[in-house]
Amino acid sequence: MSGRTHARACPERTCVGCRQRSARNGLLRVVVVGEHCVPDLRGTLPGRGAYLHPTPTCLELAVRRRAFPRAFRTQGPLGTGELRQAVGGDAPGAPPAQAR
């Protein structure tokens, strides 16, 4: 026997918000388009990617720590409006959703 197992290893990535390692399929890939962070739901957009747990808590931690400009090696702040919609957190300054 060669000692190899038939189970495939799942790649791990680090969340830029909470800095915990998780399986890649449990994280959301984020890329920069222009000056905005956008979610890469299919994982096919070109460029450097950063990974984030798809929770508002991890998104807020990443924004507060200024993790996105550091991860993407860019200068200045990046817009996160589209990313907030994908994660489920409201954009800052947006009125709260009305219950019907």
Side-chain angles (χ1 to χ4, degrees):
M1 298 293 284
S2 66
R4 293 184 185 180
T5 61
H6 293 290
R8 291 198 168 179
C10 183
E12 287 188 340
R13 300 291 185 261
T14 302
C15 173
V16 295
C18 66
R19 304 292 298 160
Q20 291 184 355
R21 294 183 62 86
S22 296
R24 185 177 68 183
N25 58 7
L27 297 170
L28 175 66
R29 183 173 188 256
V30 180
V31 296
V32 171
V33 175
E35 293 188 8
H36 299 281
C37 294
V38 291
D40 184 8
L41 301 176
R42 292 179 15 199
T44 58
L45 291 176
R48 175 177 290 276
Y51 290 85
L52 178 77
H53 285 113
T55 62
T57 305
C58 283
L59 176 60
E60 289 305 319
L61 280 171
V63 170
R64 189 172 356 138
R65 291 179 50 242
R66 296 182 189 108
F68 290 121
R70 192 175 323 119
F72 296 122
R73 300 177 184 169
T74 62
Q75 297 291 324
L78 296 170
T80 58
E82 192 173 337
L83 188 58
R84 287 181 192 276
Q85 289 177 349
V87 169
D90 293 325
Q98 296 287 329
R100 292 182 187 200

